[in-house]
Structure formats: structure tokens, C-alpha cells
Amino acid sequence: MIKLLEQLRRTAFWTLDWFKGGKIGRHYREVKLIQNNPRSPKSIALREGHLAKIIGHAVKTVPYYFDISEKEVSLEHFPVVNKQIVREQFGLMRSQTYMNKYSHQVLTSGSTGKPFKILHDKNKRDRNTADTIFFAERAGFKVGAKLYYLRLWDKQYQLGKLKSFVQNMHAQSVDDLGEENIAQLLQGFEQSKSAINLLAYTSALDSICKYLDEHYQRPLKCTTTSAIAVAEALGPVVKEKMAKYFNVEVISRYSNSENGILSQQRLNETEGHFEINAASYHVEILDLNHDRPVKKGEVGRIVITDLFNYSMPLIRYDTGDVGMMAENPETGSWVFTKVDGRKMDMFTNTKGEYISSHIIHHILQFKGIEQFQFVQEGKKYVIKLKMAEKLDARDEDALKKQYLEYFGDDALLKIQYVDDIPLLASGKRKLVVNKTKGSKPTPPSTSKQEEDSIDFMLTP
């Protein structure tokens, strides 16, 4: 009966889309074609065509780009923009032809706390829905299946009971995820007649796994078909515990509210690479300090051109994140070999050289740590720990020794015990805080991801 209801939801979704012109379906088929056949002439032509159309549209209808010549327009003629520029030039960055058309307002505070607004036209919304369906399927999810979505459910994203029922979604806010609610959630999992699908902040999955460590210490008696971690870096400990307790491979998604799903890990992908959503975005990796492409094998700023937002085109948009990109020689698809978080939240050692934020996860080898946060200010480094009992002197020394190897022998490293590390307004917990003023990290030749998760909208 449960599977029949899920099938009915899936059929109803696509039937309703068909009655409305089949727009999501067409987008979905194109995304599937491009992502599964990236080297095919048709895929290449589609991507090049979308890029040419969006930049042509921008120079003709967006005042911010009116000084770019329409005769020989190409992507490199466009300046790199960022959140601050979009905030300051909001009116000039809107397409004049979409002023009186439908525009969906997307608001995000991001990790800085400063409000940021962008507008999406209806076709962009349909493309995002198609992207969501495709990449959810990559993880094992099907439209109509039971989804548990753990994020900060603020006013922008709140679902009513009817919409929750139609989408078969359980919305759990991470700001209300104490032990009592985790216990109720797990009880619901084990009593559910449906297979479980999880879409959650990584920190929420971490909290659930820690509760299971303390109270269950056994696999859950439920079937989990997919698990996608968003908004924060996914470390190996959470992956291992999710496999232990849920018998599922959790994969990480890299997305933001202003654009959508930018990339996602593949199942059984041993390298942990992120498959880039080349169907909907053109991606560049630019130097950390200059608007020029990095050399092969170097880390740089992730700069994307949204191929479908005609209401407010984001062309050469600096996401604020850094990473490294390469082509998969077997599939021909482009991947992020590293997605290493926001430039403002990267570590540098005492020489000013960039260090991957993934080193923070080594701290979990020390038992009893409930929460942690790394703070850097120049050559001063503080590791904040929330623990029931402090580390003994031996473990403290071992922890300091390990991280001094990364930061430098001349680093001033302190361990600080705290009662709590508060969540950001976005519901996420920042694991790395760099207070160093004017730091300009030097990129390494080889390579955290923190992003706002896109609204999981499945209503055509």
C-alpha cells in the first residue's frame, strides 16, 4: 500500500507537469542527457547554446552589462561579480524585459549574516526542480518517496501540512533537534512502513549519530534508501557512522540558495569527487587574488555562470568558495576534486600558506568531543571544545602536537573548553573561523564546504 501511494504521488507529479506544458520534464530529460553524456556533440552544443543565449540576453537587457559590446561578446568580457556587488547594484542587475514578469525572491543570510537577495524567473525555478530530481535520483531517491528534510525551517521555506503530505516530506528544523526530538525521530524511523530518505545538514546527521552512539549502539531497524548531506563539510566519521546505523552511503551535495545544485558526490565514488552540474552552470576556477584562470592542479575561487536565470543573470559569479576542478577521464564529466570552503574560512599556516579545512576532522580521534570549532587570528589558533570531561594532559599534548604540524612550530595554539558553540542564524555551526585581517592565502599545487541548501521544491 505504501509503495502504491508513493507511485501515485510520482505519477501525479509528472501528470500535473504534463498538463502545465511538461516544462520540468523537458528540463529533466536535458539534464539527464548532458550529465550522462557530457562528451556527446548534442550535449556540447546544448551547453554552448545556453551560455551564448544568457550572455547575449544580459548585454541587451541588463543595465549593469550595457557597456559590453554586443558584436563580439564572450564570457571573458564580463567582470567577476560577488554578493557585495549584487547587493549594491541590485537594480542594475535585473533584466529590463523581466521587470513585469513573475520573479521568485530568494533570500539568504549565508554564513556572514548579511542578507542577500536574488530573483529567479519561472523557467529558472523549473530548471532547479529538474536538477533536484535528477541529483536526488543519483543518490537513490525517487519522487514520491518519504523524505526527511533536516534544515533550518525559517519563514521562507516553511511547509504547510498539505504541501508536506503531497510531497511526502517530514520537515525537521535543526534548531529544535535536542535529545527528545532525536529520540522521537529515531522512533519514527523504526516504526515507519516506508523506506527512509534523508536530506540534512551534516551537523544534524552528526548529532543523530552521536545520540545513536550513546543510546542505541546498534543498526536501526529501518530501510534507508538515500542520504544526502548539505550545508557543511561531510567528514569520514559521519559517513562511517551513517553506514553503521542506517546501512546507507551518505553523499555530500554542494549547492547554494542563489543558484541551486552546483555539484554532488556520486555513489560508490572512492575519490569523493563532486560531479559538477554542467547542464545548468558554466564553472570557472580563478586565482584566489586575481580574475584569471588557475593553472591545472591548483586551487582557486569557484566562479559560476548560471545558464537559466534570465530574470537576474548571475554571470561569472564568485560563490565565495574555493576548489579544484578536473575532467573525469572515464566519463568525460567535470568534477570538483576538492571543494574546500569559503575563502574567508580557510586556514593559513604561520607562513601564510593555505591549509585544507579538512584537517579539522582529525580531532575526532580524541574521544568525548561533542562540539568543536577552530579559530585563527594571525599566528594565534584556538581550538574550542565542548566536552563532558576535559582531555587529560597527555591527550592535550598529542592534539597540540598534531595541529602544530599543520599550523607551524611557531604557532600560538590554545585549547579552550566551552559550554556550547552556538548555531549561526542559518542553523549551521561554523567549524572554522578565520579572524585574520587582510590575509591572502597562497594556493597549493594540490588540494570545507559550507553552502546554503536549495529549497527542495517538488511542486510543478
Side-chain angles (χ1 to χ4, degrees):
M1 184 63 178
I2 296 296
K3 289 186 177 180
L4 177 61
L5 285 173
E6 290 179 352
Q7 180 61 51
L8 286 173
R9 282 187 174 94
R10 187 155 48 250
T11 301
F13 174 87
W14 290 116
T15 300
L16 182 57
D17 177 56
W18 181 80
F19 274 114
K20 292 184 174 182
K23 296 176 182 178
I24 296 173
R26 284 195 295 273
H27 279 302
Y28 169 79
R29 289 188 292 273
E30 183 180 286
V31 172
K32 190 173 184 179
L33 168 68
I34 294 174
Q35 294 299 126
N36 289 339
N37 306 279
R39 289 175 174 165
S40 73
K42 186 173 183 180
S43 295
I44 294 171
L46 283 169
R47 293 182 63 244
E48 290 178 348
H50 288 314
L51 180 59
K53 287 178 183 177
I54 192 70
I55 63 177
H57 168 78
V59 297
K60 292 178 182 177
T61 72
V62 179
Y64 188 77
Y65 299 116
F66 280 174
D67 60 344
I68 298 176
S69 172
E70 295 182 32
K71 295 181 180 179
E72 297 181 1
V73 61
S74 61
L75 192 62
E76 58 266 26
H77 294 146
F78 285 77
V80 175
V81 299
N82 54 34
K83 282 187 176 181
Q84 185 61 29
I85 292 173
V86 175
R87 286 191 192 99
E88 294 174 352
Q89 306 295 331
F90 185 86
L92 295 178
M93 299 195 76
R94 297 185 61 184
S95 170
Q96 293 181 335
T97 59
Y98 279 77
M99 288 293 188
N100 298 318
K101 295 183 180 180
Y102 167 85
S103 288
H104 178 84
Q105 182 173 274
V106 178
L107 293 170
T108 174
S109 63
S111 60
T112 63
K114 295 180 181 179
F116 181 72
K117 179 173 67 174
I118 195 75
L119 301 177
H120 289 174
D121 57 75
K122 184 63 170 65
N123 189 56
K124 166 64 179 175
R125 298 286 287 172
D126 289 341
R127 185 69 173 202
N128 275 4
T129 299
D131 284 339
T132 300
I133 294 170
F134 175 81
F135 282 97
E137 287 179 349
R138 277 277 206 253
F141 174 83
K142 292 184 179 180
V143 174
K146 183 68 176 181
L147 177 71
Y148 289 83
Y149 195 177
L150 285 68
R151 59 160 297 150
L152 181 68
W153 286 98
D154 56 21
K155 292 181 180 179
Q156 179 184 188
Y157 294 114
Q158 281 178 356
L159 296 181
K161 290 183 179 180
L162 179 60
K163 190 173 182 180
S164 295
F165 173 78
V166 170
Q167 294 192 13
N168 203 10
M169 183 189 298
H170 175 93
Q172 176 68 54
S173 189
V174 295
D175 61 352
D176 193 22
L177 201 61
E179 287 204 353
E180 183 178 345
N181 285 332
I182 291 177
Q184 292 177 359
L185 197 62
L186 295 176
Q187 185 178 19
F189 289 167
E190 294 202 313
Q191 293 176 349
S192 177
K193 296 180 181 179
S194 303
I196 305 300
N197 294 273
L198 292 166
L199 179 65
Y201 288 179
T202 305
S203 54
L205 297 178
D206 185 37
S207 296
I208 290 171
C209 288
K210 285 177 179 175
Y211 184 91
L212 288 165
D213 282 339
E214 185 174 349
H215 298 282
Y216 278 63
Q217 298 180 350
R218 63 165 174 80
L220 287 172
K221 298 175 182 178
C222 65
T223 300
T224 307
T225 54
S226 69
I228 301 174
V230 298
E232 299 140 336
L234 175 64
V237 173
V238 175
K239 285 183 71 76
E240 291 170 7
K241 289 183 179 180
M242 287 295 295
K244 173 184 176 180
Y245 291 119
F246 289 88
N247 191 32
V248 70
E249 180 186 356
V250 59
I251 60 174
S252 185
R253 173 182 292 173
Y254 169 43
S255 61
N256 63 29
S257 292
E258 56 266 37
N259 300 116
I261 298 174
L262 303 179
S263 66
Q264 181 177 289
Q265 290 176 337
R266 296 285 294 268
L267 289 170
N268 304 313
E269 211 289 313
T270 56
E271 298 295 327
H273 294 168
F274 288 72
E275 175 189 7
I276 291 174
N277 183 1
S280 298
Y281 305 96
H282 178 83
V283 179
E284 299 174 85
I285 304 295
L286 301 185
D287 184 89
L288 291 173
N289 302 307
H290 305 282
D291 293 341
R292 63 190 182 207
V294 298
K295 296 178 182 178
K296 185 177 181 180
E298 285 188 349
V299 169
R301 292 173 293 146
I302 298 175
V303 176
I304 65 104
T305 295
D306 191 322
L307 302 178
F308 287 90
N309 191 5
Y310 279 67
S311 178
M312 196 170 180
L314 285 182
I315 297 174
R316 305 196 82 190
Y317 172 67
D318 187 336
T319 62
D321 301 318
V322 297
M324 186 161 60
M325 186 170 66
E327 186 178 12
N328 186 317
E330 296 181 3
T331 65
S333 61
W334 285 95
V335 298
F336 289 123
T337 55
K338 295 289 181 184
V339 179
D340 246 319
R342 297 190 179 277
K343 184 180 176 183
M344 70 185 74
D345 295 328
M346 293 190 297
F347 284 123
T348 57
N349 60 22
T350 54
K351 296 179 181 179
E353 298 168 333
Y354 162 82
I355 310 170
S356 172
S357 301
H358 287 287
I359 65 170
I360 65 176
H361 297 291
H362 295 318
I363 202 169
L364 295 177
Q365 64 185 286
F366 298 93
K367 296 181 179 179
I369 297 176
E370 298 176 17
Q371 297 173 7
F372 65 90
Q373 184 182 70
F374 286 70
V375 181
Q376 178 186 0
E377 187 169 2
K379 292 187 177 183
K380 296 179 181 179
Y381 301 82
V382 177
I383 301 176
K384 295 183 179 181
L385 299 177
K386 178 189 176 183
M387 306 182 68
E389 295 183 9
K390 294 181 180 180
L391 295 173
D392 59 32
R394 184 177 178 179
D395 280 342
E396 276 198 8
D397 288 341
L399 189 154
K400 288 181 178 179
K401 182 179 179 181
Q402 180 170 25
Y403 282 100
L404 284 173
E405 291 180 2
Y406 294 111
F407 301 144
D409 293 335
D410 57 338
L412 303 175
L413 179 57
K414 176 184 177 182
I415 296 175
Q416 180 182 347
Y417 295 95
V418 298
D419 294 329
D420 186 50
I421 297 172
L423 297 173
L424 298 171
S426 61
K428 306 161 194 174
R429 179 171 285 113
K430 184 175 287 190
L431 301 182
V432 178
V433 178
N434 194 333
K435 297 181 178 180
T436 305
K437 295 182 179 180
S439 61
K440 293 185 177 181
T442 301
S445 56
T446 59
S447 135
K448 161 191 152 205
Q449 134 199 19
E450 181 176 335
E451 74 280 352
D452 299 303
S453 57
I454 185 176
D455 179 12
F456 196 85
M457 182 193 67
L458 289 180
T459 304

